[in-house]
Amino acid sequence: MNEGDRHPFLRGLSAHRGAPPTVAIIFGASGDLTARKLIPAIYNLAHDNLLPSDFQLLGFSRKDLGDEQFREIVAGAVAEFSRRPPDPEVLARVKSSASYLSGGYDDPAAFKELATRVEAIEKSLGRETQALFYISTPPSMFKPILENLGASGLAKRHLGTRLASKVIIEKPFGKDLASARDLNAVIARVLDESQVYRIDHYLGKETVQDLLVQRFANAIFEPLWNRNFVESVQITVAEEVGVGTRGGYYDSSGAVRDMIQNHTMQLLALTAMEAPVSLDAEAIRDEKVKLLRAIQPLNLQGRPDVVRARYAPGYVSGEKVPGYLEEETIPEQSTTETFAALRLSINNWRWAGVPFYLRSGKRMPHRVTEIAIQFKRPPGNIFSQSDRFDLAANTLAFQIQPDEGMTVVLNAKVPGLETRTQPVKMRFGYRTTFGSNTPEAYERLVLDAMIGDGTLFIRGDETVESWKLITPVLEHWKELGDSGLESYAAGSWGPDAAEALLKTTGHNWRRP
Amino acid sequence: MSGSDTRTIFESLPGLEVPVGKVVQSLDEIWAGAPNGGESAPSEFRASQMNLVLHLGMRTTHEAAATQFEIALALSRRHPARTVVLCPIQQGEPGSSMRAKIFSECYIGASGKEMICCEVVMLSYPFDTRCYLENQVSVCLEADLPVYYWPHCIASAARLEDYSHLLKGSRRIILDTGCETEGVEEALAPLAGKLRDLADTRLLQVRQSLGRYLSSFAPATLVDGLRTVTVGHKPALAAEARRLLDWARRSLDQCGGPPPAEAVFSIRSDESKGPAGLSLDMDYATTAHTIRWEADFDAGHARMSANMGAGDIAAEGPVSLLKPEVALAEAIFS
């Protein structure tokens, strides 16, 4: 929104300080995500005085709870999961704004009651209020919730104004192309795309948002950011943990659905996209979709572009851990992958011929998310004697988490009488330059949805393009069963087959 | 000098005195630490975002100097900075040459996992050497980073002309009209684009509170029949009241035409005892229409009430003046 379009009394304030009167309704209010992320996010926004002064929180779930019980859940969630210790005054305010409604997600009567409750809240506040719906339920409930929002009229409140209802939908958005399209069709019947906020919390991370700034606010990178200078790109999203108590969900999902189709593809899009014409949400999302469309279908036969694997027993951080099939909730006959590696080709002028390597897995040596751009070596190298010159390929690495920052690997002369070289690292660290105590991703995302900024959310066509690439892989694996499912020791960087994926093109996986 | 403290302001501030010509070398020596068993050397955490030049004018008392110094440090804990504090030697104070002190602090944060380090260089200079200050200050600043100039309690508007190098070379000039001499802001009018007033940035949450509330009324409704706009204030908040009234007038001007010619904008000082606060009253020609906003900063909340023809509306919400270091950061970065 242009500054001139804003109400005169909001001009000069950043958009995030002008959130309109809002009642936030969380579907799945008794769930894990609500406790771990959403309530702490709302608390911290209240702490920073970024919530509208008459903000109301309404929890909705099937559990039979009263208002007071829900308020105690709110207090407990803040105490346990907030990045800041609770301030009694702020917590009291958040608690007093919270209420609860129990009902079935597929029960029209419950949504009628919800609509009545929302209207009553608006009347008591004396001014028009937007309804922000957060769907944090099992994916099977997304459709009935959306349909009921439509049938009850809640989806169409204040349509065409800045107070129009908004719906945030958690991942997974579909489990394949058909289901994602189906879900988009349901959304289109009930809502305008501008009302929809498909969440990928990686986009709320400061370091991910910094990617566009680094790429397009610094003139030195763009001339090199193409096939003439880039040798390869590696994106790693590694987790140290196993499936833990999430086995039931994870076994029906796997590494590709859980991490690659969404988070990793978003990192790829931001790394490889063209410069947007502006910082408007649609301009950025248009470029991401364009990039996703340029990715070539993956080769699944002969020399496949994908590797999948499952962790076996091993050692992580010095502790012995069981293999995937030994985990409590995992069935013996599971063929779910806990690791996947892909080699992608992007067919456009910028990237033709540059391999993009993506990998994600559980029970890897440590938790790290990194994007590494490896550059080509200088031509006709005068430093070619390998016994004197230890040359590394210049690499620009973005550490998304932990230890957020950027590293550049250069070659420098070792002090001495002879000319010898050695790789050195230059580093920019977020913590030492900006400190921590930055907002958590969910704080940013919830507030962005409240003010109607969709930049950090996934558009319908983005998720379709991502599923178009990934779905043939999943279908192929389903046909194969466990044939071709590799194994890797927990605590290692993945199977040998993943190493072989790069060796064929003379590359090696990084050890971030 | 003030009261019984016979030290100069320079002497009263913390730090280690070093030769003026060795300021940068002395700072480097602080950070040059040997790695110990794989731990990072302190120099790895020496990171700055900016240079802040805090210029303590001749009207600065010892207490005020200490306060401004602490504010600069508090800012640095969130935004690592090299701060250069300029302490002109006042009339009657001993000292005929420039002196320098250095101070550094590392802040490990609430979690204990971060380390933010800042540096402070203090320069004391005889008033009649001020024309040589530019060179010495430039040596003390960290290269390639922006400079923010924060003059405090400058003796007179005319005095600022002596420091034109700082005014022109800095990205922002930060004043506090709550304590500056009359005429300082006017003297800096040619540099208005770089000027920020702490009295204004302290009001960020006030503008936010009022803005959110008033934005629920259509702009045309806010100016239709407007008769008076009055900002009330406790004595200590006179500068903030002026800024609030300016903001209200600008915003009303943008509501689809200027307010009616007879609308009167005024400030009312409330001398009565009571909590620190501000208020905004808007009265309309139609007697029943009124908007009232009243903030109690000690209690940390504001009350809003209005009747614009659709019945009485009331709301409450949190509000406070920004803390000094937060107001300073807002002035620097917004």
Side-chain angles (χ1 to χ4, degrees), chain B:
Chain B
M1 293 185 282
S2 68
S4 57
D5 192 338
T6 58
R7 297 176 299 170
T8 63
I9 284 178
F10 172 81
E11 288 161 352
S12 68
L13 293 174
L16 175 72
E17 186 154 2
V18 297
V20 172
K22 296 208 163 150
V23 163
V24 175
Q25 181 185 330
S26 303
L27 281 173
D28 288 344
E29 282 166 8
I30 288 178
W31 297 113
N36 179 15
E39 283 177 23
S40 305
S43 58
E44 286 202 20
F45 302 98
R46 181 192 189 185
S48 279
Q49 290 182 30
M50 60 185 176
N51 296 287
L52 176 66
V53 178
L54 167 57
H55 196 166
L56 299 173
M58 290 292 199
R59 294 187 300 121
T60 308
T61 62
H62 280 61
E63 292 78 20
T67 301
Q68 304 309 105
F69 186 87
E70 285 302 323
I71 293 171
L73 284 187
L75 174 81
S76 288
R77 286 180 198 126
R78 184 75 177 89
H79 307 280
R82 178 175 291 181
T83 302
V84 178
V85 183
L86 302 180
C87 312
I89 298 175
Q90 303 200 14
Q91 304 280 2
E93 282 184 355
S96 60
S97 57
M98 229 179 238
R99 295 164 71 188
K101 264 184 178 176
I102 58 174
F103 173 94
S104 69
E105 180 185 83
C106 282
Y107 173 66
I108 62 169
S111 66
K113 289 182 191 168
E114 64 198 84
M115 188 138 91
I116 297 201
C117 300
C118 68
E119 302 165 323
V120 186
V121 176
M122 287 148 276
L123 286 178
S124 164
Y125 62 97
F127 182 68
D128 54 11
T129 64
R130 63 194 183 283
C131 49
Y132 304 111
L133 199 60
E134 179 178 0
N135 291 336
Q136 188 54 53
V137 170
S138 70
V139 168
C140 296
L141 297 174
E142 193 157 348
D144 300 317
L145 294 178
V147 178
Y148 298 93
Y149 179 47
W150 179 21
H152 178 78
C153 285
I154 299 296
S156 69
R159 188 62 63 227
L160 284 170
E161 288 178 19
D162 300 334
Y163 303 104
S164 62
H165 55 93
L166 287 169
L167 295 170
K168 288 176 187 160
S170 48
R171 184 177 280 188
R172 290 266 167 92
I173 304 163
I174 297 145
L175 290 183
D176 190 341
T177 54
C179 65
E180 287 312 326
T181 303
E182 204 173 310
V184 165
E185 205 180 349
E186 286 73 20
L188 292 172
L191 299 168
K194 303 206 268 194
L195 207 52
R196 294 294 183 273
D197 181 5
L198 292 172
D200 189 46
T201 60
R202 281 194 286 273
L203 289 176
L204 176 65
Q205 286 204 13
V206 169
R207 289 197 299 278
Q208 178 182 288
S209 167
L210 267 168
R212 282 179 187 157
Y213 186 64
L214 294 174
S215 66
S216 59
F217 301 103
T221 306
L222 289 170
V223 293
D224 184 22
L226 181 65
R227 194 169 53 187
T228 63
V229 179
T230 309
V231 171
H233 70 94
K234 290 294 183 193
L237 296 175
E240 286 80 356
R242 282 194 299 274
R243 287 300 182 211
L244 185 59
L245 191 69
D246 287 344
W247 172 75
R249 191 198 306 258
R250 274 198 316 270
S251 301
L252 287 165
D253 280 348
Q254 294 172 43
C255 283
E262 59 270 22
V264 173
F265 290 79
S266 62
I267 291 179
R268 183 189 69 236
S269 178
D270 179 357
E271 306 289 330
S272 66
K273 287 184 186 160
L278 288 170
S279 64
L280 175 74
D281 285 277
M282 293 165 67
D283 290 304
Y284 291 79
T286 308
T287 323
H289 288 193
T290 183
I291 292 176
R292 178 161 175 80
W293 173 92
E294 189 177 11
D296 175 351
F297 295 127
D298 291 343
H301 66 77
R303 271 196 201 87
M304 292 145 277
S305 57
N307 188 328
M308 296 298 278
D312 289 328
I313 309 168
E316 276 198 27
V319 78
S320 57
L321 295 175
L322 291 191
K323 287 182 190 173
E325 67 275 12
V326 181
L328 182 58
E330 184 69 21
I332 287 171
F333 294 116
S334 68

Side-chain angles (χ1 to χ4, degrees), chain A residues 37-78:
Chain A
K37 295 292 181 187
L38 302 185
I39 289 174
I42 288 168
Y43 168 81
N44 281 293
L45 289 172
H47 187 283
D48 293 336
N49 204 7
L50 292 171
L51 290 182
S53 52
D54 39 18
F55 174 81
Q56 295 288 309
L57 173 63
L58 182 51
F60 184 115
S61 86
R62 291 178 284 207
K63 241 186 184 167
D64 188 16
L65 299 170
D67 288 349
E68 274 314 309
Q69 282 176 289
F70 182 60
R71 286 174 190 143
E72 289 317 307
I73 288 175
V74 166
V78 171

Side-chain angles (χ1 to χ4, degrees), chain A residues 181-442:
Chain A
R181 277 183 164 147
D182 186 42
L183 198 49
N184 274 336
V186 171
I187 286 171
R189 286 199 294 273
V190 169
L191 297 156
D192 188 71
E193 180 66 25
S194 65
Q195 295 175 269
V196 184
Y197 297 79
R198 296 172 193 77
I199 212 165
D200 182 328
H201 72 273
Y202 265 53
L203 295 182
K205 292 180 184 292
E206 286 287 345
T207 42
V208 174
Q209 293 164 47
D210 191 36
L211 280 173
L212 286 189
V213 175
Q214 294 296 337
R215 282 195 62 194
F216 301 121
N218 295 298
I220 56 171
F221 294 131
E222 183 60 13
L224 307 177
W225 212 267
N226 56 66
R227 61 189 172 86
N228 296 314
F229 295 96
V230 174
E231 173 69 25
S232 67
V233 178
Q234 288 187 24
I235 301 178
T236 298
V237 180
E239 297 180 277
E240 188 178 316
V241 297
V243 293
T245 55
R246 294 177 70 230
Y249 158 75
Y250 193 85
D251 199 59
S252 63
S253 177
V256 167
R257 284 191 176 96
D258 191 43
M259 287 295 209
I260 293 203
Q261 183 272 332
N262 36 62
H263 306 321
T264 318
M265 294 302 287
Q266 284 296 312
L267 295 179
L268 168 65
L270 292 170
T271 302
M273 64 187 248
E274 298 298 324
V277 296
S278 73
L279 289 176
D280 288 347
E282 298 316 311
I284 292 172
R285 288 149 98 172
D286 284 347
E287 293 303 330
K288 287 202 288 176
V289 169
K290 210 167 92 182
L291 183 281
L292 293 172
R293 286 188 180 144
I295 300 175
Q296 295 296 281
L298 291 157
N299 183 22
L300 302 173
Q301 311 288 354
R303 273 181 49 202
D305 290 328
V306 292
V307 169
R308 58 172 174 152
R310 179 172 64 203
Y311 65 82
Y315 282 81
V316 176
S317 299
E319 300 279 325
K320 192 162 173 27
V321 297
Y324 182 70
L325 291 181
E326 283 88 51
E327 300 274 17
E328 251 184 58
T329 47
I330 303 303
E332 261 180 41
Q333 66 278 18
S334 168
T335 58
T336 301
E337 82 288 356
T338 63
F339 171 96
L342 285 67
R343 177 178 53 217
L344 302 180
S345 303
I346 300 175
N347 188 19
N348 64 15
W349 276 62
R350 184 187 285 271
W351 295 118
V354 179
F356 281 73
Y357 302 111
L358 278 55
R359 66 178 164 174
S360 181
K362 287 200 175 288
R363 286 294 189 209
M364 295 180 82
H366 66 117
R367 173 178 170 258
V368 63
T369 300
E370 181 197 73
I371 302 166
I373 320 291
Q374 188 168 327
F375 292 90
K376 291 181 174 173
R377 304 213 177 229
N381 202 336
I382 55 177
F383 299 102
S384 56
Q385 288 174 256
S386 58
D387 56 335
R388 280 175 68 194
F389 305 121
D390 174 14
L391 292 186
N394 299 133
T395 304
L396 172 61
F398 298 93
Q399 285 86 38
I400 304 296
Q401 62 184 11
D403 199 19
E404 294 83 354
M406 246 171 69
T407 308
V408 177
V409 174
L410 306 167
N411 296 295
K413 179 184 179 297
V414 178
L417 296 174
E418 286 195 347
T419 301
R420 290 184 178 276
T421 66
Q422 184 179 294
V424 294
K425 278 162 81 159
M426 253 171 44
R427 177 157 165 81
F428 151 60
Y430 257 80
R431 274 183 212 207
T432 49
T433 306
F434 295 120
S436 64
N437 203 30
T438 48
E440 288 254 345
Y442 276 91

